[in-house]
Amino acid sequence: MKDHPRFQDKVVVVTGASRGIGKEIAVRFGAEGGKVACVATSEANALSTATAIYDSGGVARAYGCDVGEADQVEATFSRITEELGPPEILVNNAGLARDALLMRMKDEDWERVLAVNLKGAYLCIKAASRAMMKARYGRILNVTSIIGTSGGAGQANYAAAKAGLIGLTKSVAKELGGRGITCNAVAPGFIETDMTADLPEEMREKIAATAPLGRLGQASDVAGVVLFFCSDDAGYVTGQTLVVDGGLTL
Ligand code: NAP
């Protein structure tokens, strides 16, 4: 733990905290003094992250919640408020992809991807912002994607959801700024997690060769930027989307 932790006793909610980028974000908040609500589809999935934080001397709890389901989100935020306190920082990181060419895309895959990636963020913001408005302080961070601005063949659902998150970010920034709440987004490029595990080796090499920084990203590359946006140093930044892609889309 650092001498002057940036997030001492701040109640932080991280969705999609069981693996990949979300796990790294949650662990970093825990190491910097935050009281971290680790949310995943099941409590069991989120538990390894909460345990890792706890074992390093931090404070964390695991929650199972499908962020696309309004009643589950409401119930989870009520429990978080009871058990850790009212949320002060919210990281909407939960996400999934169901890729298919448009003509073959199943309606249920369109709906599921929109529900988790976009509606989930809306529901969590709605649930967290009540307490933030009362406290006249809050930090909201949405994890979008470079696909949200560039599009992706076979990813119409994912691109639409991630583009939607950028509009949501700007609208929330405008609506809640007067209450001391910032809302920003990060747009990762290709990060080595379960989500990109199936990328063929040839594609990985191509991405690494195209990116000026010469490699795929790691979860830690994204987490550091997320924590910056949620820190006091970013107190006058809102409505922004920062691309974290090693320069791939330059
Ligand atoms: P990941 O390793 O596949 O992890 C996804 C996380 O989201 C897991 O914790 C998963 O929980 C959770 N999740 C999925 N559906 C959920 C639901 N309905 N309710 C609650 N939690 C749910 O993904 P990742 O690569 O770390 O991606 C994290 C975020 O970054 C996503 O929003 C993704 O779109 C975005 N992103 C990733 C990349 C990349 O290259 N990896 C690039 C751009 C953007 P369970 O373990 O319980 O399933």
Side-chain angles (χ1 to χ4, degrees):
M1 188 119 18
K2 290 191 177 167
D3 288 347
H4 302 290
R6 286 185 291 177
F7 303 103
Q8 190 64 49
D9 296 329
K10 286 261 187 291
V11 178
V12 185
V13 182
V14 182
T15 69
S18 57
R19 314 181 255 131
I21 296 170
K23 180 170 190 172
E24 185 72 21
I25 292 168
V27 165
R28 292 263 194 118
F29 271 117
E32 294 207 39
K35 298 196 272 184
V36 191
C38 304
V39 180
T41 57
S42 71
E43 193 176 319
N45 287 359
L47 199 60
S48 71
T49 304
T51 306
I53 295 170
Y54 185 82
D55 288 348
S56 312
V59 178
R61 269 179 181 266
Y63 298 89
C65 170
D66 181 341
V67 296
E69 295 290 334
D71 50 348
Q72 291 190 37
V73 171
E74 272 297 320
T76 302
F77 276 80
S78 296
R79 273 189 62 203
I80 292 169
T81 303
E82 266 168 41
E83 291 168 2
L84 294 176
E88 295 165 283
I89 297 174
L90 166 65
V91 180
N92 286 311
N93 164 81
L96 51 78
R98 295 272 185 275
D99 295 354
L101 293 172
L102 203 56
M103 289 303 155
R104 290 190 197 144
M105 188 170 287
K106 297 190 181 101
D107 291 354
E108 67 213 53
D109 286 341
W110 171 272
E111 273 149 27
R112 184 69 183 143
V113 167
L114 268 289
V116 175
N117 292 276
L118 183 56
K119 188 180 176 194
Y122 150 73
L123 290 172
C124 290
I125 291 170
K126 214 169 161 186
S129 59
R130 214 168 296 134
M132 291 179 179
M133 284 165 73
K134 211 168 155 199
R136 303 192 79 80
Y137 171 86
R139 294 276 186 271
I140 299 168
L141 192 289
N142 297 320
V143 181
T144 175
S145 167
I146 55 169
I147 301 299
T149 46
S150 65
Q155 293 191 293
N157 49 0
Y158 186 77
K162 293 304 193 185
L165 270 181
I166 296 172
L168 176 68
T169 301
K170 291 179 183 176
S171 302
V172 171
K174 286 187 170 178
E175 204 169 311
L176 302 183
R179 304 293 188 106
I181 301 166
T182 68
C183 183
N184 292 289
V186 295
F190 287 88
I191 310 298
E192 291 194 280
T193 67
D194 291 350
M195 193 177 262
T196 52
D198 292 340
L199 271 184
E201 192 51 37
E202 195 186 320
M203 179 103 90
R204 282 169 191 280
E205 282 167 15
K206 200 172 161 200
I207 292 164
T210 310
L213 292 179
R215 61 176 176 86
L216 270 69
Q218 300 300 315
S220 56
D221 291 317
V222 181
V225 180
V226 169
L227 265 71
F228 162 71
F229 272 123
C230 297
S231 73
D232 289 344
D233 287 338
Y236 198 55
V237 182
T238 197
Q240 303 304 305
T241 298
L242 187 65
V243 173
V244 184
D245 71 346
L248 187 66
T249 51
L250 281 177

